[in-house]
Amino acid sequence: ERQFVALVALSRGSLSVEEFYASFLGVDTDLLRELDGYALWMLGGLFERLDRQRGVDGVSSFFIPRLRVYHSPDEKLHGMSFQQFMMIDTYSSWYTVSGRAEYLDQMIAAMYLKEGYSYFPEKDETLVDFDTSIEDLSQIHIDVKMAVFINWNLIRQWLSATFPYLFPKGDGNDAKGGSAAAWLDIFDAFVGDNIPHMDEYKKLPCMDAFRILNRKIKNSK
């Protein structure tokens, strides 16, 4: 978590190279000052090779599992409903296009939930309080928010590798489902004439929905 946020902060210019090494490696800046330029250059080369060796298709989990009392979705989006995914991806797409901070906050609020809260509460669960979540999570540092945003885009690339017809590679957030209108069209086609059971489609685990939709798109070609 610390290392991923440090990488994002460095790319945004929020950290100097020296501060980045200190944060990423978990060492004091005084120790880094004892290293000469050549040693720091060698460290930089190691980071570059690490970046080249790691493929983004394998990122299916969240590097930041918790924001205050809010928890990230599970690995491989296990337990995430189709409704939650569509909300997250819509706000992500809007932020990509507009750069407006409120869409980033809404994306994160749709993603990170308090324990015991759900989009479709059962038994002792509580319905998600979206407005309160936005207010709480909007206070998170921008470097952390951007790390969450980048993490989501990496997960979308994993989805592209897993469901290539639903999430075509090379389209990024402009892929099928990359906007609210696209997701509404896909959802309406998915529901079809089963309008009385629309809520059941919203509750469906998103990975199950993706598997069905990906097969339908494939078979229609």
Side-chain angles (χ1 to χ4, degrees):
E1 176 181 348
R2 184 192 73 248
Q3 292 173 326
F4 185 60
V5 173
L7 282 168
V8 172
L10 178 68
S11 69
R12 297 185 66 251
S14 300
L15 289 181
S16 67
V17 174
E18 185 180 75
E19 290 171 331
F20 164 72
Y21 284 144
S23 179
F24 192 94
L25 300 172
V27 299
D28 193 275
T29 53
D30 290 338
L31 175 62
L32 288 173
R33 292 191 185 102
E34 296 182 17
L35 300 178
D36 58 23
Y38 178 74
L40 291 174
W41 178 76
M42 289 296 293
L43 276 176
L46 291 174
F47 284 117
E48 290 175 5
R49 283 194 292 275
L50 178 63
D51 181 62
R52 288 198 300 269
Q53 290 169 2
R54 177 160 187 167
V56 295
D57 287 350
V59 177
S60 60
S61 60
F62 293 83
F63 297 124
I64 305 174
R66 184 169 174 172
L67 295 174
R68 298 182 177 176
V69 296
Y70 295 82
H71 300 268
S72 73
D74 292 334
E75 185 172 0
K76 295 186 177 180
L77 306 184
H78 177 73
M80 179 183 288
S81 67
F82 195 23
Q83 171 74 31
Q84 183 180 7
F85 179 91
M86 290 190 291
M87 285 186 64
I88 296 169
D89 205 50
T90 295
Y91 288 127
S92 173
S93 177
W94 288 353
Y95 177 71
T96 298
V97 173
S98 70
R100 293 172 59 178
E102 59 263 38
Y103 293 142
L104 181 61
D105 292 338
Q106 289 166 337
M107 182 204 80
I108 295 173
M111 186 184 304
Y112 282 75
L113 306 181
K114 286 183 178 178
E115 188 173 354
Y117 282 70
S118 172
Y119 279 75
F120 304 99
E122 298 179 356
K123 297 180 181 178
D124 297 329
E125 293 179 330
T126 303
L127 181 65
V128 171
D129 185 344
F130 197 50
D131 291 336
T132 299
S133 298
I134 293 173
E135 184 177 351
D136 291 345
L137 292 169
S138 64
Q139 307 304 314
I140 299 295
H141 194 280
I142 184 59
D143 286 341
V144 177
K145 292 181 186 180
M146 289 306 300
V148 172
F149 175 71
I150 291 171
N151 198 164
W152 182 252
N153 281 281
L154 292 175
I155 287 173
R156 271 187 125 265
Q157 291 184 45
W158 165 70
L159 289 171
S160 292
T162 309
F163 305 106
Y165 293 94
L166 182 61
F167 299 95
K169 276 191 174 182
D171 290 340
N173 252 7
D174 294 326
K176 286 179 171 35
S179 67
W183 275 123
L184 285 174
D185 290 344
I186 291 172
F187 183 73
D188 287 345
F190 192 31
V191 173
D193 295 329
N194 296 320
I195 296 175
H197 302 286
M198 183 179 293
D199 283 346
E200 296 304 315
Y201 286 86
K202 293 179 181 179
K203 294 179 184 178
L204 192 68
C206 66
M207 296 299 286
D208 288 343
F210 298 158
R211 176 176 48 80
I212 296 169
L213 287 166
N214 190 72
R215 185 180 68 245
K216 286 187 174 183
I217 296 171
K218 179 182 178 181
N219 292 341
S220 69
K221 291 185 178 296

